[in-house]
Amino acid sequence: MKQTPFYLGFNMTPGIGPARLARLIEFFGSAEAAWQAPLRDLVASGLDAKSCESLMTTRARLCLDDEMA
């Protein structure tokens, strides 16, 4: 799968800007891997609790395929 949907998802996540996204991609290797990472791995990556919560909430409510359409 292309990375575009995952970049879109992060763009729609409050508290995740370019700098945090860059650190996540560096840690996980891709935007897709970062998007799909479990909470414990997000914490291990250095993402703060508020941003982790925001990402988990966004992932739960957002359908990337629908957003791309």
Side-chain angles (χ1 to χ4, degrees):
M1 181 179 229
K2 293 183 180 182
Q3 295 295 303
T4 302
F6 304 103
Y7 282 101
L8 177 62
F10 279 114
N11 188 56
M12 298 177 73
T13 303
I16 306 284
R20 282 195 176 114
L21 179 55
R23 286 195 305 268
L24 288 170
I25 291 171
E26 182 177 337
F27 186 87
F28 290 105
S30 71
E32 179 179 7
W35 182 262
Q36 296 174 347
L39 179 59
R40 69 179 180 279
D41 292 347
L42 292 169
V43 171
S45 77
L47 195 63
D48 64 276
K50 185 176 181 181
S51 296
C52 284
E53 181 181 343
S54 179
L55 179 54
M56 299 303 280
T57 299
T58 301
R59 286 188 340 195
R61 70 168 176 78
L62 193 64
C63 176
L64 296 179
D65 291 335
D66 289 348
E67 293 299 325
M68 289 299 293

